[in-house]
Amino acid sequence: MHYEWHGSQLDSAPVLVCSSGLGGSAHYWKGQLATLGKDYRILLYDHAGTGRSPATLPNGYSIEHMANELLNLLASLSVTRCNFIGHALGGLVGLVLAKTQPELINKLVLVNAWSQPNPHTLRCFAIRKALLANCEPQMFLQMQALILYPPDYIARHISELEQEEAHMLANFPNQANLLKRIDALSQFDIDASLAQIQARTLVYANKDDVLVPWQQSQHLADKLPNAQFRLFDYGGHASSVTTPNIFNSTILTFLSTQQQAAQAV
C-alpha cells in the first residue's frame, strides 16, 4: 500500500493519519499539510485498489476490509497510537478502528461522515453507478465535482477543475474496484455500536453538502459518548478543499486542545 510521511520530522511528534473518501487518494489532503504538519507527523496513504495501491478487491469488500488494510500498514510502520481524520468513507474507516481498536485511536475527526445508509446518499451513489456503467468516464468526473463542491466554487475554479479532471481521466480508477467501494460504503451500518466508541471525537459537517445531509453528522455527535459537533454553512462535501483555512484551524484547535488536556493530566 502506498503511503507518505509529511509534517514534523520529530520522532516524538504525535502521528496524524488522514483517510480519504471514495477516491482513496493521499493527494486529497494537500491543503492540510502545511498547517497540521507543524506539530504532527502526518501519514497519508492511497487506499487499496486506488491510485498507487494496486489491488483486485474481493467480492463482498467492506469498510471492515479497509480498516484491516490500514491496521496492517500501521503495524508495519510501528504506529500503536494515532490521531485520525477521515473524510466521508474515510470517516467510516475511523469509526470501525475506534470501535475495534480503541487503544489505537487517540482523537477522531469525522468529516461529513455517517453511521448508517441514508436514502438521499444512496440515490446519489446509484446515479454514480449508472454513470459508470452507461457513460464516458468524464461524465462521472463532472458529476463528482457537482457532488464535492458548491456551485460558486466550481465557477471560480473551473480552470483548475478541468486540469484536475484531465489528470484523473488519464488515471481513471478500475471500475470493478470503484463499484465494490461504493457498495461497501452503501452497506455500512455501525449505528447500533456508536455508544461503544469512547474516543474523543470532532464531528465536522457542512449545511450545503449535497451528498451527505448534515443531519447525519448531527446524529453521530448525538450518539457518540465523547463527541463535539461543528456545523458550517458553506464548504460543500469537500470543505477541506473549498475552505481550507477554516477547516484547518478548526481541526488544529480540536487536536491541540485535547493534547494539552492529556499532557496536563
Side-chain angles (χ1 to χ4, degrees):
M1 186 179 292
H2 173 84
Y3 69 91
E4 307 168 9
W5 284 109
H6 295 270
S8 175
Q9 300 298 309
L10 298 175
D11 291 339
S12 59
V15 173
L16 175 60
V17 177
C18 299
S19 187
S20 303
L22 179 62
S25 173
H27 182 70
Y28 177 78
W29 302 101
K30 64 179 182 179
Q32 282 60 66
L33 299 180
T35 300
L36 301 185
K38 295 176 182 177
D39 298 313
Y40 296 90
R41 297 175 60 213
I42 301 177
L43 177 63
L44 308 182
Y45 71 106
D46 287 353
H47 292 202
T50 74
R52 295 156 291 182
S53 297
T56 300
L57 302 180
N59 293 329
Y61 191 64
S62 67
I63 300 296
E64 287 73 18
H65 282 101
M66 300 180 201
N68 287 332
E69 290 159 356
L70 179 54
L71 275 176
N72 290 336
L73 174 62
L74 295 176
S76 73
L77 299 173
S78 300
V79 174
T80 59
R81 186 77 167 164
C82 66
N83 306 295
F84 188 97
I85 302 178
H87 173 248
L89 180 149
L92 313 188
V93 173
L95 283 168
V96 171
L97 291 179
K99 175 192 172 184
T100 62
Q101 308 289 328
E103 72 287 348
L104 174 66
I105 302 298
N106 183 27
K107 290 156 276 188
L108 177 65
V109 180
L110 306 174
V111 183
N112 294 326
W114 61 94
S115 62
Q116 60 184 351
N118 174 271
H120 170 82
T121 305
L122 290 177
R123 285 193 169 204
C124 291
F125 282 116
I127 293 171
R128 295 175 87 174
K129 291 169 69 173
L131 287 172
L132 276 175
N134 299 294
C135 299
E136 295 297 319
Q138 54 262 42
M139 292 297 100
F140 180 88
L141 295 175
Q142 289 194 23
M143 178 65 180
Q144 178 169 278
L146 296 178
I147 287 174
L148 288 175
Y149 309 122
D152 64 314
Y153 180 89
I154 292 176
R156 293 198 312 271
H157 297 85
I158 189 63
S159 296
E160 299 97 312
L161 288 176
E162 288 175 346
Q163 293 176 12
E164 181 180 350
E165 288 172 355
H167 173 77
M168 294 173 68
L169 185 61
N171 299 274
F172 198 75
N174 177 279
Q175 181 173 323
N177 282 350
L178 187 52
L179 288 171
K180 288 173 181 175
R181 285 171 61 78
I182 292 175
D183 286 341
L185 60 84
S186 298
Q187 296 165 14
F188 178 77
D189 190 342
I190 201 173
D191 198 66
S193 301
L194 291 179
Q196 303 173 23
I197 298 174
Q198 298 297 317
R200 293 188 176 183
T201 304
L202 171 64
V203 182
Y204 189 112
N206 300 87
K207 282 188 175 180
D208 60 346
D209 184 346
V210 299
L211 177 62
V212 182
W214 65 266
Q215 291 87 350
Q216 295 292 101
S217 293
Q218 176 74 73
H219 178 77
L220 281 171
D222 290 343
K223 296 297 183 180
L224 290 166
N226 295 303
Q228 57 180 269
F229 184 44
R230 294 297 307 273
L231 178 63
F232 297 87
D233 289 332
Y234 180 82
H237 188 60
S239 51
S240 57
V241 176
T242 59
T243 56
N245 291 338
I246 294 172
F247 182 90
N248 293 343
S249 63
T250 302
I251 302 304
L252 189 60
T253 297
F254 170 72
L255 294 177
S256 61
T257 300
Q258 298 289 59
Q259 184 180 352
Q260 290 168 5
Q263 289 174 346
V265 172

